[in-house]
Amino acid sequence: AVPAVDETSVHETEQQRLVRLEQESEDAMMQQQRNMLAKQVEEIEAAAAAAKEQLDLIHLVRRRKLAARELADAEEALLNEALKEQQQVLALIHRRGSLSNAVLEFEALARQQRHAEQCEGARRIWTHMEAHEARRSFL
């Protein structure tokens, strides 16, 4: 004997199956949304990481440019200092050259003076000898 099937029990089972299928469908849609959101989160995180990397590169480039500017300023300051020192050396060389010329001129004048004094001494001796000769001839 086949047991009697209760219509309400079959209907409820059918109702339960529909509810279960609906729930599974909703669960599948929710899982699909979660997967899409997880993928979007991954993409956003990757974009954020790339943006941070670009920002780090931008900061690095800015620091490099600033360091290059500071280096150029330091080089210019060193060149200006070297130029000042070179000008001072040239001024000293010019003054020394002028002093050397003055020393040479002074030594030439001193030689001329000594020569003039020697000539004057020789002239006096000559004059004295002439006077002595004239007196001797006179006597």
Side-chain angles (χ1 to χ4, degrees):
V2 176
V5 176
D6 186 10
E7 276 298 314
T8 55
S9 133
V10 169
H11 184 65
E12 284 179 21
T13 306
E14 186 65 29
Q15 186 69 25
Q16 287 173 348
R17 191 174 77 78
L18 286 175
V19 168
R20 184 179 49 78
L21 287 175
E22 224 177 275
Q23 186 64 43
E24 286 175 1
S25 175
E26 283 180 19
D27 286 348
M29 284 178 35
M30 290 291 277
Q31 186 60 42
Q32 189 179 13
Q33 282 186 332
R34 277 190 216 112
N35 289 344
M36 284 176 39
L37 288 174
K39 187 175 179 180
Q40 286 178 350
V41 165
E42 285 178 12
E43 290 172 355
I44 290 170
E45 286 175 345
K52 184 182 181 320
E53 189 175 311
Q54 285 181 340
L55 187 61
D56 289 345
L57 286 175
I58 289 170
H59 288 308
L60 184 64
V61 168
R62 284 184 179 162
R63 283 194 302 262
R64 188 191 66 71
K65 283 183 179 179
L66 179 63
R69 255 187 255 121
E70 289 174 351
L71 179 62
D73 290 347
E75 286 175 345
E76 185 177 351
L78 286 173
L79 287 174
N80 287 337
E81 188 65 30
L83 181 62
K84 285 179 188 174
E85 288 177 6
Q86 187 179 25
Q87 288 171 343
Q88 289 173 346
V89 167
L90 289 175
L92 287 173
I93 289 171
H94 179 71
R95 274 190 242 132
R96 183 169 182 194
S98 297
L99 287 175
S100 295
N101 289 340
V103 167
L104 291 175
E105 288 176 21
F106 178 77
E107 288 175 349
L109 287 174
R111 279 193 302 273
Q112 288 175 356
Q113 181 68 29
R114 281 193 302 271
H115 182 69
E117 288 172 357
Q118 288 171 352
C119 288
E120 181 61 27
R123 190 185 62 74
R124 283 187 190 151
I125 292 171
W126 184 257
T127 306
H128 180 72
M129 286 177 59
E130 279 185 334
H132 189 357
E133 275 298 314
R135 265 189 260 152
R136 228 196 281 168
S137 323
F138 183 71
L139 295 173

